[in-house]
Amino acid sequence: MSQSILVLYYSRSGHTAQLARLIARGVEEAGLEARLRQVPPVAPVTEVAQPPEPDEGAPYVRREDLAQCAGLALGSPTRFGNMAAPLKHFLDSTGAEWASGTLAGKPAAVFTSTGTMHGGQESTLLTMALPLLHHGMLLLGIPFTEPALNATASGGTPYGASHVAGIKGDHPISEHERELARALGRRLADTARKLAVRA
């Protein structure tokens, strides 16, 4: 079994990427490798091809990343209560992986960031979960046994890790948001390890 967890995201202003790095840290705290990857942006009209690698951040995802991972954390900023178009575009292109069962039986988790407290965090997390269920993945959330879930005054939900970035994007990730993102990464890694033992 692969000992890596794929942490795959789209991030425009950097907040979702920060959450991705915290989840990756939690994965590594639990003893597995975290493989950070991002999806490329999309536009209504493409004038030039995207470069093979982004100017900053994690490398772009490749098909083999999906095949080789032991689990998946999927993240996106919120766009009108839903995932951003680049992530949806990527997921819509995974028909071959769906048909072959590439992700079936692997654990998965979701994460997001929003500009406001009521900007659609939970609906975005739920909409990201739906394609993963179609892929046969085993969805994980954050249980209320995590003390920060009861204490947070900003992001963090039982559906997945989250961050309230503020309308101007100037809110730093709170300590509770950090704790919950790392806890989600640890839970994902621990579950992947337990599933591998039973396989």
Side-chain angles (χ1 to χ4, degrees):
M1 175 200 98
S2 166
Q3 292 296 305
S4 70
I5 300 294
L6 177 59
V7 183
L8 177 61
Y9 65 92
Y10 173 72
S11 185
R12 182 148 184 181
S13 60
H15 300 286
T16 307
Q18 289 178 52
L19 278 178
R21 289 190 291 272
L22 288 164
I23 290 169
R25 186 182 306 172
V27 166
E28 292 174 350
E29 287 170 353
L32 293 189
E33 174 195 353
R35 183 179 296 185
L36 280 164
R37 295 291 185 268
Q38 62 178 311
V39 299
V42 296
V45 177
T46 302
E47 296 179 2
V48 296
Q50 288 294 330
E53 294 300 336
D55 292 333
E56 60 183 5
Y60 288 139
V61 66
R62 297 185 176 162
R63 298 290 174 203
E64 53 264 33
D65 292 321
L66 296 174
Q68 294 169 1
C69 73
L72 170 67
L74 189 68
S76 172
T78 293
R79 295 292 183 264
F80 300 108
N82 206 328
M83 74 183 90
L87 187 61
K88 179 69 164 62
H89 178 75
F90 173 77
L91 289 171
D92 285 348
S93 74
T94 59
E97 286 76 16
W98 168 78
S100 63
T102 298
L103 296 172
K106 296 179 180 181
V110 290
F111 59 101
T112 191
S113 62
T114 57
T116 65
M117 183 73 79
H118 302 290
Q121 286 193 357
E122 293 183 348
S123 62
T124 299
L125 294 169
L126 291 170
T127 58
M128 282 194 293
L130 295 178
L132 303 182
L133 289 170
H134 278 265
H135 273 283
M137 301 196 82
L138 309 174
L139 264 293
L140 302 174
I142 302 174
F144 278 93
T145 51
E146 289 293 335
L149 196 56
N150 292 294
T152 182
S154 53
T157 82
Y159 307 105
S162 63
H163 167 56
V164 179
I167 290 293
K168 296 180 180 179
D170 56 355
H171 293 183
I173 295 182
S174 73
E175 190 55 41
H176 289 143
E177 291 171 338
R178 289 176 178 278
E179 289 175 24
L180 292 168
R182 289 169 61 188
L184 186 60
R186 288 192 300 270
R187 190 163 196 240
L188 189 53
D190 287 340
T191 302
R193 186 184 296 104
K194 289 174 183 175
L195 289 170
V197 169
R198 295 178 184 169

